[in-house]
Amino acid sequence: MRIFLRALTTCALLAAALVPVEAATAAPTDAAFNPSTGVLDVDLASYLAKHDVVYNRPNTNNLHGLTVGNGRVGAMAWQQDGLTMQVSGVDTSQQTAFGAGLLNLATTPAMDSGYTTHQQRLSLYDGTLTTGYDDDRTVTVMGSPNSEVMGVHVEDARGGVRSVVLELGLWDVSQLPNSGDVPNLDTWKTVSTYADSSGAGLSRGQADPQGFGYTLAATVEGASHTAQVVDGRKVRLTITPSRSYTIWFTASSRINAPDRDSVRQARTALNAVKSTGYQTTLTNYRNWWHDFWGRSFVRYSGLGGDADYLENVYYLGTYMIAAGGYGNYPFHFVNGVFRATGDNTKWSNSYWYWNQRDVYHSFLASNHVDLVAGFNRSYSRNHDALKAFTRSRYGVDGTWVPETMGWDGNARGTVNSDYTKNIFSTGPEAAFAMYLQYRYTDDLGYLRQTAYPFMRETAKFIQSRFSHDSGTGKYHMVSSNSHETYWNVPNAITDLAAVRSLFPVLIESSRQLGLDADLRPQWQRLLDDLVAYPTDGSAYLPHTPPIAPSRNNENVAVELVWPYNQTGIGHPDQQKAITTWNRRPFPYGNVWAPDAIQAARLGLGDQAYQGMKQMLRQYQNHPNGMTNNTNGVFEYLGVHLSVVNESLMQSYDDRIRVFPAIPGDSSFTGKFTLLAKNGFLVSSEREAGETKYVGLRSLHGKTARVVNPWGGQQVRVRRAADNAVLLTTTAGEFDLATAAGTTYVVERTAKPLTSYTGTRLTGHVNQDAKSLSGTASTLGLSRTANPVVNNTGLTYDGNWHHTTNRGYGDHDDDTHHSTTSGSVAQHTFTGTGVRYYSERNGDMGPVDVYLDGAFQATVDLRADGPRQVRQVVWERSGLSRGQHTLRIVNRSTSVGMVDALYILP
């Protein structure tokens, strides 16, 4: 079932882009819950407009290109010889390893010549990328929903346009590496082309024996054109200049084409969208995105604007993943459909479960279970292959799932790696994710036909790996990897957690479906007699001591909290879990780190908030929301989505908790409509330290267990349709029997929902770049130059050294450092303030900071413990706008360092 939050019409949204809409003032006296719909009343068009990403000057950096997609095809766009985009399709190659190609649109005179004002806007609500020059040129990138087709619509009222040229091309593929783990690399180096009256295209991978390959092609609506093949990897459309025309392009995949004929499919798809026409297609596309956004809502704001920045990243990350998340295969955590580096991928040619889970798990709570279903399907569709490989490798009738799995279930990336070849917990984790899909959808057919068989077979495999100790009566895991970090160790905590997570719901499902009664006693026996989690008494350990050397920077012991759901708020071992989290050896150790999700699960609201900021400080270093980190691209965005959801509402242990992990600052404002297990749309609002109510919309008629958000205060449950009071209680938690399609309100008896004035949540249209305090993270480009000045932008005396490819997460992965006392770094800037970024580490020392010739402070860069990266070590704001000079002087023979500066406009 989908929910639709009320929104402005498209025309009203266009008007809103010109006239800012003032946000509804945060007020503890009002409430936005609509009892008739059972969700928050939100003007989504204006609300999401405040999170648009805006470039107020042309962006020529391909890595900073803005991202636009229709769920199956995506493009990164920047300005280089006109509009340039790299196009990618989810299903065009194995694990989306290879890009589809480049599209360039150029006019004479150039589109970006002779203008006064410029703005490029990624509209999240409409899913469009629009670039405007003055009031006479607009270029809009959009898509055709449920297809592999996108479009570029041009409105150009200038006189004297002499030529319009559209080119599709490929980079040099002759030295193509096998990043896709493809069986025939030559077919991916072979490019074929066509050009005729219908359009032009180029193809490769046409002989791929696994059925992949694609055709990148284009045609034109609204203007006449001619087509030609330029060379072996470039085709061209020459378009007759017109005031209004649309270029339709497709990355048509062989695997989704009848008879694997991607050329014919490209022609068919382009003809179809051209026949439908631009206006109708745009309306359909906008409606597709409007429906998407209408399924849930979050507001995470306050704290001097920093929480609002986190909320912006939430919506932008949701958009980017969804814009490539509806293909036949999953949105890959590195490749996705957004990159601007040719065929180059960062490192993975498989789906790594640990990384993919970060990308997808948040979409259960945000009511996009169809996205999660695509991820789960990548495992269930390969069940037969996985089961056959398990028999071959282990001689076991069950299913082992490789941590690193190819699109077809192959384990080549796992069995050849000491890091992953002995990981046994992936299968139960994947099975449990399928079970959660059932719990959110109540799709009994899916449980019976897909989830339960996968659960049963993965349970049979992991059960076979345990040994029974007759002396203790306990089942032990003799040897396995505690994920990638501890190799060949006894009683890996991930294996023990996998059993305790999966087996209870497996047994319950077996009874519910009336299946495998003979297996239940075996499963129950393993569960009852499983060895306890390793612990030192106050914290959990990754495996039975002595602790093995670390091979990777994962905090394995905290996996109990998330994703295995074994402990958290209100659990008897909550304090032990908190101690485990506090002692984790690698805080925020990589781009996939789920530390902040785990903090939220433990009720550590301030730590969850600071953790989101820390992850963005380390990894969000491009103004389009993306990262230059070499270990991944989209994981930290997916983690961010989960942290926000888990901070606002939790239901993992079948209890609905609202605002379980929010910051302690009373300026925080939280509002949401999110999906809980068992199919409850939960809405609530919190302002000025007060939770106002809890609204429940029951989708499947299940029983809800609700944690009283007001402790021991008396609450009542009222049915919204007739205001009948069904329950009054002071209990800390209570059960509520519900009817499908019915809305209920949980409210304080002393201050019911009716005591609040009704309101509608709105927003204002964003018009400029944003920044996150204490970090170099920005979204958008201001009209002035890039406010981030990399260390290479400063001037240095001869005693400084430039180091690159550091791999720590520095801005642009480089720094300048000096071990000479008195060495000077200097930069002159125009603005109202400046932030100085550096690492902190045990080998570093003091530096003096001068501003406009005046001494400001001595900053000590030394810090014990792990190296700290992207730290704001000194900052100054409130300067008169104008030119200022910052000077940094090393004061010792210890390391002095400069990573970057951030100029406040």
Side-chain angles (χ1 to χ4, degrees), residues 132-150:
Y133 304 88
D134 294 339
D135 58 359
D136 59 357
R137 282 155 283 173
T138 304
V139 179
T140 301
V141 185
M142 39 72 74
S144 174
N146 305 309
S147 78
E148 294 178 319
V149 178
M150 295 188 66

Side-chain angles (χ1 to χ4, degrees), residues 223-237:
S224 59
H225 66 277
T226 59
Q228 69 181 107
V229 174
V230 178
D231 55 37
R233 50 189 173 93
K234 183 182 291 185
V235 296
R236 178 180 297 156
L237 297 179

Side-chain angles (χ1 to χ4, degrees), residues 106-111 113 136-137 156-164 239-243 245:
T107 65
T108 306
M111 190 76 70
S113 64
D136 59 357
R137 282 155 283 173
D156 190 350
R158 295 176 299 165
V161 176
R162 299 188 298 278
S163 71
V164 179
I239 303 168
T240 301
S242 173
R243 290 178 63 93
Y245 56 93

Side-chain angles (χ1 to χ4, degrees), residues 177-401:
N178 197 358
S179 57
D181 189 28
V182 301
N184 179 0
L185 191 58
D186 286 340
T187 188
W188 290 96
K189 297 179 182 179
T190 302
V191 182
S192 57
T193 60
Y194 79 86
D196 55 33
S197 60
S198 68
L202 54 85
S203 308
R204 62 176 176 157
Q206 297 300 290
D208 183 87
Q210 295 175 332
F212 289 91
Y214 67 91
T215 295
L216 177 65
T219 190
V220 182
E221 174 194 345
S224 59
H225 66 277
T226 59
Q228 69 181 107
V229 174
V230 178
D231 55 37
R233 50 189 173 93
K234 183 182 291 185
V235 296
R236 178 180 297 156
L237 297 179
T238 302
I239 303 168
T240 301
S242 173
R243 290 178 63 93
S244 177
Y245 56 93
T246 306
I247 297 160
W248 296 110
F249 64 94
T250 180
S252 288
S253 58
R254 289 180 66 223
I255 208 154
N256 292 320
D259 302 321
R260 298 289 195 260
D261 189 340
S262 65
V263 176
R264 185 174 65 192
Q265 176 64 16
R267 293 177 187 271
T268 300
L270 292 175
N271 286 337
V273 73
K274 190 173 177 179
S275 175
T276 301
Y278 168 69
Q279 288 297 338
T280 299
T281 303
L282 176 62
T283 298
N284 293 340
Y285 177 70
R286 284 172 168 164
N287 288 341
W288 187 85
W289 276 110
H290 298 175
D291 172 62
F292 175 88
W293 293 117
R295 299 189 196 182
S296 59
F297 172 80
V298 303
R299 180 176 178 184
Y300 188 99
S301 64
L303 290 88
D306 282 355
D308 301 82
Y309 188 97
L310 302 184
E311 181 184 305
N312 204 146
V313 174
Y314 177 93
Y315 283 109
L316 176 59
T318 298
Y319 173 80
M320 278 200 278
I321 295 169
Y326 287 96
N328 197 26
Y329 290 94
F331 183 98
H332 192 276
F333 66 95
V334 172
N335 302 330
V337 291
F338 299 124
R339 63 182 185 272
T341 54
D343 285 320
N344 296 328
T345 65
K346 294 199 173 184
W347 57 276
S348 176
N349 59 16
S350 299
Y351 296 108
W352 292 60
Y353 197 91
W354 185 284
N355 305 75
Q356 289 289 151
R357 71 185 187 185
D358 285 352
V359 176
Y360 275 97
H361 275 6
S362 73
F363 289 99
L364 291 171
S366 59
N367 197 20
H368 299 292
V369 187
D370 48 352
L371 272 171
V372 183
F375 171 49
N376 288 339
R377 190 165 56 248
S378 63
Y379 291 88
S380 62
R381 79 196 313 168
N382 287 310
H383 195 188
D384 290 344
L386 293 170
K387 191 170 173 63
F389 185 80
T390 305
R391 290 194 195 98
S392 173
R393 186 184 186 201
Y394 293 101
V396 170
D397 179 27
T399 299
W400 170 76
V401 177

Side-chain angles (χ1 to χ4, degrees), residues 451-463:
Y452 178 78
F454 201 92
M455 294 162 62
R456 179 188 61 215
E457 297 306 306
T458 54
K460 286 163 64 176
F461 170 76
I462 199 167
Q463 183 177 17

Side-chain angles (χ1 to χ4, degrees), residues 398-512:
T399 299
W400 170 76
V401 177
E403 173 66 17
T404 304
M405 188 188 79
W407 67 276
D408 58 353
N410 77 73
R412 286 189 294 274
T414 287
V415 297
N416 296 319
S417 168
D418 288 332
Y419 284 89
T420 57
K421 65 184 180 184
N422 291 324
I423 294 176
F424 299 148
S425 56
T426 306
E429 191 175 346
F432 187 75
M434 294 179 197
Y435 174 75
L436 286 180
Q437 181 178 330
Y438 156 69
R439 287 295 300 274
Y440 277 82
T441 61
D442 198 38
D443 186 344
L444 192 62
Y446 175 77
L447 176 66
R448 181 183 297 274
Q449 297 160 21
T450 303
Y452 178 78
F454 201 92
M455 294 162 62
R456 179 188 61 215
E457 297 306 306
T458 54
K460 286 163 64 176
F461 170 76
I462 199 167
Q463 183 177 17
S464 74
R465 310 311 297 170
F466 281 92
S467 299
H468 186 260
D469 186 328
S470 58
T472 63
K474 297 294 184 181
Y475 286 93
H476 296 257
M477 179 65 72
V478 176
S479 178
S480 68
N481 281 18
S482 195
H483 213 259
E484 294 187 33
T485 299
Y486 307 96
W487 298 355
N488 304 315
V489 295
N491 297 321
I493 198 167
T494 45
D495 294 327
L496 305 182
V499 170
R500 291 191 170 103
S501 176
L502 178 63
F503 278 48
V505 298
L506 173 64
I507 293 168
E508 175 189 332
S509 298
S510 169
R511 291 196 181 99
Q512 180 181 359

